[in-house]
Amino acid sequence: MESTQLTVPAHFVNTMLTIAADRDCNVEQLLADIGVKASDIDNGTPISVLQYGELYHHIIELVQDEWFGLLSGGPVPKGAIRLLCQSIVHCKDLQHAINRAGDFFELCRGFKVKPIIEVDGDYVYFKGSKLDCVEQQEFDALIKTTSAATIRSTLSAWHGFYSWVIGKHVPIEDIYYSFSDDTNKSATDTNTKEKYRHHYGHDFIGHRFHKKYLSYPIVQNENSVEDFMRKAPYYSLIKKDPDEGLAHYVKSLLAKSIGEDFPNAIEVADFFNISVTTLYRRLGQEDCSFQQLKNESRMEAAIHYLNCPDISTTAISDLLSFENPSTFYRSFKKWTGLPPGEYRKQLLAKSSLQESV
Protein backbone atom coordinates (compact mmCIF):
# COMPACT_ATOMS: atom_id res chain seq x y z
CA MET A 1 0.00 0.00 0.00
CA GLU A 2 1.45 3.36 -1.01
CA SER A 3 1.87 5.82 1.84
CA THR A 4 0.67 9.38 1.64
CA GLN A 5 3.63 11.72 2.02
CA LEU A 6 3.57 15.41 2.77
CA THR A 7 5.01 17.61 0.05
CA VAL A 8 6.40 21.13 -0.25
CA PRO A 9 5.11 23.44 -3.02
CA ALA A 10 7.52 24.24 -5.85
CA HIS A 11 7.42 28.00 -5.18
CA PHE A 12 8.98 27.43 -1.74
CA VAL A 13 11.72 25.39 -3.39
CA ASN A 14 12.26 28.08 -6.03
CA THR A 15 12.62 30.78 -3.37
CA MET A 16 15.28 28.75 -1.57
CA LEU A 17 17.11 27.94 -4.80
CA THR A 18 17.12 31.58 -5.90
CA ILE A 19 18.77 32.62 -2.67
CA ALA A 20 21.22 29.72 -2.94
CA ALA A 21 22.11 30.72 -6.51
CA ASP A 22 22.87 34.23 -5.26
CA ARG A 23 25.37 32.59 -2.90
CA ASP A 24 27.11 30.89 -5.85
CA CYS A 25 25.63 27.47 -5.15
CA ASN A 26 25.23 25.05 -8.06
CA VAL A 27 21.45 24.75 -8.18
CA GLU A 28 21.42 21.84 -10.62
CA GLN A 29 23.82 19.90 -8.43
CA LEU A 30 21.77 20.66 -5.33
CA LEU A 31 18.67 19.26 -7.01
CA ALA A 32 20.57 16.26 -8.37
CA ASP A 33 21.83 15.49 -4.85
CA ILE A 34 18.25 15.10 -3.62
CA GLY A 35 17.03 13.27 -6.74
CA VAL A 36 14.96 16.08 -8.27
CA LYS A 37 14.96 17.34 -11.84
CA ALA A 38 15.08 21.09 -12.46
CA SER A 39 12.34 20.69 -15.08
CA ASP A 40 9.99 19.30 -12.41
CA ILE A 41 10.48 22.39 -10.26
CA ASP A 42 9.98 24.64 -13.30
CA ASN A 43 6.71 22.84 -13.99
CA GLY A 44 5.51 23.43 -10.44
CA THR A 45 5.86 19.85 -9.21
CA PRO A 46 6.09 19.69 -5.39
CA ILE A 47 8.86 17.70 -3.70
CA SER A 48 8.70 15.48 -0.65
CA VAL A 49 9.44 16.89 2.78
CA LEU A 50 12.42 14.53 2.98
CA GLN A 51 13.93 16.10 -0.14
CA TYR A 52 13.14 19.60 1.07
CA GLY A 53 14.83 18.96 4.40
CA GLU A 54 17.90 17.58 2.65
CA LEU A 55 18.02 20.59 0.32
CA TYR A 56 17.82 23.06 3.19
CA HIS A 57 20.62 21.44 5.17
CA HIS A 58 22.83 21.07 2.08
CA ILE A 59 22.57 24.80 1.42
CA ILE A 60 23.26 25.75 5.04
CA GLU A 61 26.43 23.63 4.99
CA LEU A 62 27.54 25.01 1.64
CA VAL A 63 27.07 28.70 2.38
CA GLN A 64 28.17 28.46 6.03
CA ASP A 65 25.75 31.24 6.86
CA GLU A 66 23.50 31.12 9.92
CA TRP A 67 21.49 34.07 8.57
CA PHE A 68 20.70 32.23 5.31
CA GLY A 69 17.68 33.67 3.50
CA LEU A 70 17.64 36.90 5.54
CA LEU A 71 19.15 40.33 4.92
CA SER A 72 22.63 40.62 6.42
CA GLY A 73 25.27 41.79 3.93
CA GLY A 74 27.56 38.79 4.25
CA PRO A 75 27.91 35.28 5.72
CA VAL A 76 27.12 35.19 9.43
CA PRO A 77 29.19 32.66 11.44
CA LYS A 78 27.65 29.73 13.25
CA GLY A 79 26.77 30.50 16.83
CA ALA A 80 25.84 34.12 16.14
CA ILE A 81 22.12 33.66 16.76
CA ARG A 82 22.71 31.93 20.07
CA LEU A 83 25.05 34.69 21.24
CA LEU A 84 22.54 37.32 20.12
CA CYS A 85 19.77 35.67 22.12
CA GLN A 86 21.97 35.22 25.18
CA SER A 87 22.99 38.87 25.03
CA ILE A 88 19.43 40.19 25.08
CA VAL A 89 17.57 37.87 27.47
CA HIS A 90 19.13 39.75 30.37
CA CYS A 91 17.80 43.10 29.13
CA LYS A 92 15.17 44.95 31.13
CA ASP A 93 12.63 45.55 28.38
CA LEU A 94 12.08 45.42 24.61
CA GLN A 95 13.61 48.83 23.97
CA HIS A 96 16.79 47.79 25.74
CA ALA A 97 16.82 44.47 23.86
CA ILE A 98 16.50 46.09 20.41
CA ASN A 99 19.26 48.57 21.22
CA ARG A 100 21.52 45.78 22.44
CA ALA A 101 20.77 43.76 19.30
CA GLY A 102 21.95 46.75 17.27
CA ASP A 103 25.18 46.84 19.29
CA PHE A 104 25.65 43.11 18.68
CA PHE A 105 25.26 43.53 14.93
CA GLU A 106 27.92 46.25 14.98
CA LEU A 107 30.41 43.72 16.36
CA CYS A 108 29.36 40.46 14.68
CA ARG A 109 31.13 39.49 11.47
CA GLY A 110 28.92 39.32 8.39
CA PHE A 111 26.39 42.03 9.15
CA LYS A 112 26.02 45.36 7.39
CA VAL A 113 22.50 45.97 8.68
CA LYS A 114 21.26 46.48 12.22
CA PRO A 115 17.88 47.19 13.86
CA ILE A 116 17.17 50.65 15.23
CA ILE A 117 14.08 52.27 16.73
CA GLU A 118 12.76 55.81 16.35
CA VAL A 119 9.91 57.01 18.59
CA ASP A 120 7.36 59.34 16.99
CA GLY A 121 4.54 60.34 19.31
CA ASP A 122 2.63 57.28 20.49
CA TYR A 123 4.28 55.02 17.92
CA VAL A 124 7.72 53.64 17.19
CA TYR A 125 9.42 52.88 13.90
CA PHE A 126 11.52 49.70 13.84
CA LYS A 127 13.98 50.10 10.96
CA GLY A 128 16.78 48.29 9.24
CA SER A 129 19.74 50.68 9.29
CA LYS A 130 23.39 50.61 8.24
CA LEU A 131 26.19 49.81 10.64
CA ASP A 132 28.36 52.73 11.73
CA CYS A 133 31.29 51.35 9.72
CA VAL A 134 29.27 51.00 6.50
CA GLU A 135 29.10 53.82 3.98
CA GLN A 136 25.64 55.04 3.06
CA GLN A 137 26.26 54.35 -0.62
CA GLU A 138 27.21 50.75 0.13
CA PHE A 139 24.14 50.27 2.31
CA ASP A 140 21.80 51.76 -0.29
CA ALA A 141 23.25 49.41 -2.91
CA LEU A 142 22.70 46.43 -0.61
CA ILE A 143 19.04 47.29 -0.05
CA LYS A 144 18.50 47.97 -3.75
CA THR A 145 19.94 44.62 -4.84
CA THR A 146 18.22 42.53 -2.15
CA SER A 147 15.15 40.68 -3.41
CA ALA A 148 11.68 41.62 -2.23
CA ALA A 149 11.21 38.08 -0.88
CA THR A 150 14.33 38.38 1.30
CA ILE A 151 13.25 41.75 2.66
CA ARG A 152 9.78 40.43 3.46
CA SER A 153 11.26 37.36 5.17
CA THR A 154 13.68 39.52 7.16
CA LEU A 155 10.97 41.84 8.43
CA SER A 156 8.79 38.86 9.27
CA ALA A 157 11.65 37.19 11.15
CA TRP A 158 12.40 40.35 13.13
CA HIS A 159 8.74 40.78 14.05
CA GLY A 160 8.62 37.18 15.27
CA PHE A 161 11.86 37.62 17.18
CA TYR A 162 10.98 40.73 19.16
CA SER A 163 7.52 39.29 19.86
CA TRP A 164 9.23 36.16 21.19
CA VAL A 165 11.51 38.01 23.61
CA ILE A 166 8.54 39.65 25.37
CA GLY A 167 6.32 36.59 25.02
CA LYS A 168 3.56 38.56 23.35
CA HIS A 169 2.50 39.19 19.77
CA VAL A 170 3.24 42.81 18.87
CA PRO A 171 0.49 44.14 16.57
CA ILE A 172 1.96 45.98 13.58
CA GLU A 173 0.25 49.11 12.29
CA ASP A 174 2.36 49.60 9.13
CA ILE A 175 5.07 47.81 7.13
CA TYR A 176 7.49 49.80 4.96
CA TYR A 177 9.28 48.40 1.91
CA SER A 178 12.01 49.94 -0.21
CA PHE A 179 10.86 48.13 -3.35
CA SER A 180 7.86 48.92 -5.56
CA ASP A 181 4.70 46.87 -5.36
CA ASP A 182 4.44 44.41 -8.25
CA THR A 183 0.68 43.90 -7.92
CA ASN A 184 -0.27 47.30 -9.38
CA LYS A 185 -1.83 48.48 -6.13
CA SER A 186 -1.50 51.92 -4.65
CA ALA A 187 1.72 52.90 -2.88
CA THR A 188 -0.17 52.50 0.40
CA ASP A 189 -2.22 49.32 0.55
CA THR A 190 -4.42 48.44 3.52
CA ASN A 191 -4.54 44.72 4.28
CA THR A 192 -8.11 44.11 5.42
CA LYS A 193 -7.30 40.59 6.61
CA GLU A 194 -4.50 41.57 8.95
CA LYS A 195 -5.45 45.19 9.68
CA TYR A 196 -2.15 46.83 8.84
CA ARG A 197 -0.94 48.88 5.92
CA HIS A 198 1.81 48.11 3.40
CA HIS A 199 3.84 51.06 2.11
CA TYR A 200 5.98 50.60 -0.99
CA GLY A 201 8.83 52.62 -2.47
CA HIS A 202 10.00 54.06 0.86
CA ASP A 203 13.52 55.12 1.74
CA PHE A 204 13.65 52.56 4.57
CA ILE A 205 12.42 49.09 5.50
CA GLY A 206 10.70 48.40 8.79
CA HIS A 207 7.58 48.28 10.95
CA ARG A 208 5.49 50.76 12.90
CA PHE A 209 3.84 49.73 16.17
CA HIS A 210 2.64 51.31 19.42
CA LYS A 211 5.45 52.47 21.67
CA LYS A 212 3.89 50.89 24.77
CA TYR A 213 5.45 47.58 23.74
CA LEU A 214 8.95 49.04 24.20
CA SER A 215 8.43 48.95 27.97
CA TYR A 216 7.28 45.31 28.03
CA PRO A 217 9.71 43.18 30.08
CA ILE A 218 11.85 40.44 28.57
CA VAL A 219 10.36 37.10 29.60
CA GLN A 220 12.89 34.74 27.99
CA ASN A 221 15.95 33.29 29.71
CA GLU A 222 19.02 31.25 28.81
CA ASN A 223 17.09 27.99 29.09
CA SER A 224 14.43 29.16 26.66
CA VAL A 225 17.18 30.31 24.30
CA GLU A 226 18.24 26.71 23.81
CA ASP A 227 14.64 25.76 23.08
CA PHE A 228 14.37 28.65 20.62
CA MET A 229 17.58 27.60 18.85
CA ARG A 230 16.17 24.16 18.16
CA LYS A 231 13.02 25.66 16.66
CA ALA A 232 14.41 28.78 15.00
CA PRO A 233 15.39 27.21 11.67
CA TYR A 234 11.84 26.02 11.24
CA TYR A 235 10.31 29.34 12.16
CA SER A 236 12.21 30.70 9.17
CA LEU A 237 10.71 28.10 6.87
CA ILE A 238 7.20 29.30 7.69
CA LYS A 239 6.95 32.09 5.14
CA LYS A 240 4.43 34.75 6.11
CA ASP A 241 3.08 36.35 2.97
CA PRO A 242 1.08 39.43 4.11
CA ASP A 243 -1.60 38.65 1.53
CA GLU A 244 -2.21 35.10 2.72
CA GLY A 245 -5.04 34.09 5.03
CA LEU A 246 -5.25 32.19 8.29
CA ALA A 247 -3.21 29.06 7.56
CA HIS A 248 0.25 30.54 8.06
CA TYR A 249 -0.81 32.03 11.41
CA VAL A 250 -2.10 28.66 12.60
CA LYS A 251 1.10 27.02 11.35
CA SER A 252 3.21 29.56 13.23
CA LEU A 253 1.20 29.10 16.43
CA LEU A 254 1.61 25.33 16.23
CA ALA A 255 5.34 25.59 15.49
CA LYS A 256 5.87 27.80 18.52
CA SER A 257 4.11 25.17 20.67
CA ILE A 258 6.73 22.52 19.90
CA GLY A 259 8.09 21.19 23.19
CA GLU A 260 4.84 22.03 24.96
CA ASP A 261 1.33 20.59 24.77
CA PHE A 262 0.02 21.09 21.23
CA PRO A 263 -3.12 23.23 21.22
CA ASN A 264 -6.16 21.45 19.84
CA ALA A 265 -8.55 22.92 17.27
CA ILE A 266 -10.80 24.40 19.95
CA GLU A 267 -7.88 26.16 21.65
CA VAL A 268 -6.56 27.48 18.33
CA ALA A 269 -10.00 28.78 17.35
CA ASP A 270 -10.29 30.52 20.73
CA PHE A 271 -6.87 32.11 20.19
CA PHE A 272 -8.11 33.71 16.97
CA ASN A 273 -11.54 34.54 18.46
CA ILE A 274 -13.42 32.38 15.96
CA SER A 275 -15.48 29.20 16.19
CA VAL A 276 -14.05 25.79 15.36
CA THR A 277 -16.44 25.59 12.42
CA THR A 278 -15.09 28.88 11.07
CA LEU A 279 -11.51 27.69 11.60
CA TYR A 280 -12.13 24.52 9.58
CA ARG A 281 -14.00 26.43 6.86
CA ARG A 282 -11.33 29.10 6.41
CA LEU A 283 -8.52 26.56 6.33
CA GLY A 284 -10.50 24.55 3.79
CA GLN A 285 -10.76 27.66 1.61
CA GLU A 286 -6.95 27.72 1.63
CA ASP A 287 -6.79 24.06 0.54
CA CYS A 288 -5.48 22.73 3.84
CA SER A 289 -6.74 21.37 7.14
CA PHE A 290 -5.91 21.75 10.81
CA GLN A 291 -4.55 18.19 10.96
CA GLN A 292 -2.35 18.84 7.92
CA LEU A 293 -0.83 21.94 9.52
CA LYS A 294 -0.28 20.04 12.75
CA ASN A 295 1.45 17.22 10.87
CA GLU A 296 3.63 19.67 8.94
CA SER A 297 4.68 21.47 12.13
CA ARG A 298 5.62 18.21 13.79
CA MET A 299 7.41 16.93 10.69
CA GLU A 300 9.49 20.08 10.24
CA ALA A 301 10.49 20.11 13.91
CA ALA A 302 11.32 16.40 13.79
CA ILE A 303 13.67 16.92 10.83
CA HIS A 304 15.49 19.64 12.75
CA TYR A 305 15.75 17.60 15.95
CA LEU A 306 17.09 14.60 14.01
CA ASN A 307 19.98 16.83 12.94
CA CYS A 308 20.91 17.18 16.62
CA PRO A 309 22.73 13.93 17.54
CA ASP A 310 22.38 14.61 21.27
CA ILE A 311 18.57 14.35 21.14
CA SER A 312 17.27 10.76 21.16
CA THR A 313 14.28 9.70 19.08
CA THR A 314 12.42 9.01 22.32
CA ALA A 315 13.06 12.59 23.45
CA ILE A 316 11.92 13.86 20.05
CA SER A 317 8.71 11.89 20.43
CA ASP A 318 8.09 13.58 23.78
CA LEU A 319 8.95 17.05 22.41
CA LEU A 320 6.42 16.58 19.61
CA SER A 321 3.69 15.45 22.03
CA PHE A 322 3.30 11.94 20.62
CA GLU A 323 1.68 9.35 22.85
CA ASN A 324 4.69 7.05 22.56
CA PRO A 325 7.81 6.53 20.39
CA SER A 326 6.03 3.90 18.27
CA THR A 327 3.43 6.42 17.19
CA PHE A 328 6.17 8.89 16.29
CA TYR A 329 7.99 6.17 14.33
CA ARG A 330 4.90 5.33 12.24
CA SER A 331 4.00 8.97 11.63
CA PHE A 332 7.49 10.00 10.55
CA LYS A 333 7.75 7.07 8.15
CA LYS A 334 4.39 8.01 6.67
CA TRP A 335 5.50 11.63 6.20
CA THR A 336 8.93 11.01 4.72
CA GLY A 337 9.05 7.40 3.58
CA LEU A 338 11.84 6.58 6.07
CA PRO A 339 11.85 5.69 9.79
CA PRO A 340 13.45 8.39 11.96
CA GLY A 341 16.55 6.35 12.77
CA GLU A 342 17.33 5.70 9.10
CA TYR A 343 16.67 9.33 8.20
CA ARG A 344 19.12 10.45 10.91
CA LYS A 345 21.78 8.01 9.66
CA GLN A 346 21.55 9.47 6.16
CA LEU A 347 21.81 13.03 7.46
CA LEU A 348 24.84 12.27 9.64
CA ALA A 349 26.52 10.33 6.84
CA LYS A 350 26.10 13.23 4.41
CA SER A 351 27.30 15.70 7.03
CA SER A 352 30.44 13.64 7.65
CA LEU A 353 31.08 13.39 3.91
CA GLN A 354 30.77 17.17 3.48
CA GLU A 355 33.16 17.80 6.39
CA SER A 356 35.75 15.45 4.88
CA VAL A 357 35.69 17.21 1.51
Side-chain angles (χ1 to χ4, degrees):
M1 180 177 177
E2 184 179 359
S3 62
T4 301
Q5 295 186 25
L6 294 174
T7 59
V8 177
H11 71 271
F12 281 98
V13 183
N14 267 322
T15 297
M16 183 179 293
L17 291 175
T18 298
I19 299 173
D22 290 341
R23 299 292 188 90
D24 298 324
C25 293
N26 186 326
V27 171
E28 291 186 1
Q29 186 61 52
L30 282 170
L31 290 175
D33 288 343
I34 63 171
V36 174
K37 296 179 180 179
S39 58
D40 291 338
I41 301 300
D42 293 338
N43 293 331
T45 304
I47 67 174
S48 73
V49 296
L50 175 62
Q51 292 168 320
Y52 186 75
E54 290 177 339
L55 177 63
Y56 179 79
H57 289 290
H58 281 190
I59 296 173
I60 289 294
E61 289 299 319
L62 285 173
V63 301
Q64 289 293 294
D65 182 4
E66 204 168 56
W67 218 256
F68 171 72
L70 302 178
L71 175 63
S72 62
V76 175
K78 289 184 177 180
I81 296 178
R82 176 178 279 103
L83 286 175
L84 170 63
C85 293
Q86 290 175 340
S87 70
I88 66 174
V89 294
H90 300 291
C91 293
K92 177 183 177 181
D93 52 33
L94 180 58
Q95 182 171 1
H96 186 196
I98 294 174
N99 289 335
R100 178 168 291 182
D103 293 338
F104 178 89
F105 280 35
E106 288 281 0
L107 298 173
C108 184
R109 174 166 50 87
F111 287 108
K112 295 181 181 178
V113 184
K114 67 177 181 180
I116 64 169
I117 50 177
E118 296 178 359
V119 177
D120 181 19
D122 290 333
Y123 290 87
V124 60
Y125 290 90
F126 176 97
K127 298 181 178 181
S129 179
K130 74 177 187 68
L131 301 188
D132 293 343
C133 61
V134 175
E135 296 292 335
Q136 188 65 49
Q137 184 177 2
E138 180 183 5
F139 177 77
D140 292 341
L142 172 64
I143 298 298
K144 184 177 181 180
T145 56
T146 300
S147 70
T150 298
I151 291 177
R152 288 182 187 274
S153 295
T154 302
L155 293 178
S156 176
W158 270 113
H159 179 222
F161 184 72
Y162 62 67
S163 293
W164 170 75
V165 297
I166 63 172
K168 183 177 181 60
H169 174 77
V170 178
I172 292 176
E173 299 287 336
D174 301 88
I175 301 181
Y176 300 89
Y177 305 112
S178 55
F179 54 85
S180 299
D181 185 18
D182 58 2
T183 60
N184 296 319
K185 298 177 182 179
S186 62
T188 299
D189 171 40
T190 301
N191 188 314
T192 56
K193 293 179 180 179
E194 300 183 357
K195 298 181 180 179
Y196 56 74
R197 295 173 292 274
H198 302 284
H199 306 270
Y200 300 92
H202 270 256
D203 59 356
F204 69 91
I205 59 172
H207 308 133
R208 178 176 175 265
F209 56 88
H210 200 281
K211 71 175 184 181
K212 68 180 181 180
Y213 293 99
L214 291 179
S215 62
Y216 276 45
I218 303 303
V219 300
Q220 306 300 339
N221 54 48
E222 293 199 13
N223 291 330
S224 59
V225 166
E226 295 308 311
D227 182 58
F228 176 82
M229 288 303 302
R230 286 170 174 160
K231 302 172 188 177
Y234 285 91
Y235 288 150
S236 65
L237 293 182
I238 304 170
K239 303 301 182 183
K240 300 179 178 64
D241 185 334
D243 295 322
E244 290 180 357
L246 184 65
H248 69 274
Y249 283 116
V250 174
K251 179 77 172 288
S252 181
L253 179 63
L254 291 172
K256 293 174 183 177
S257 299
I258 298 293
E260 306 168 0
D261 290 334
F262 257 109
N264 58 34
I266 295 176
E267 291 168 331
V268 171
D270 287 343
F271 181 86
F272 293 107
N273 295 316
I274 58 177
S275 67
V276 175
T277 301
T278 300
L279 174 68
Y280 288 154
R281 175 176 57 78
R282 289 183 60 180
L283 292 178
Q285 291 172 346
E286 298 176 44
D287 297 322
C288 64
S289 68
F290 179 76
Q291 187 61 47
Q292 178 185 350
L293 296 177
K294 182 177 179 179
N295 287 342
E296 289 178 356
S297 299
R298 281 174 151 179
M299 174 271 299
E300 291 166 354
I303 290 174
H304 172 62
Y305 286 135
L306 287 171
N307 276 275
C308 304
D310 59 321
I311 307 178
S312 68
T313 54
T314 299
I316 295 173
S317 173
D318 291 338
L319 286 167
L320 302 183
S321 301
F322 281 96
E323 293 181 1
N324 52 63
S326 297
T327 304
F328 168 58
Y329 179 97
R330 291 192 299 270
S331 297
F332 191 86
K333 187 174 182 180
K334 180 178 180 180
W335 296 333
T336 67
L338 287 175
E342 182 62 29
Y343 179 82
R344 169 173 271 172
K345 287 181 181 178
Q346 291 191 10
L347 286 177
L348 295 179
K350 289 180 180 179
S351 178
S352 298
L353 180 62
Q354 289 173 345
E355 290 177 357
S356 64
V357 174

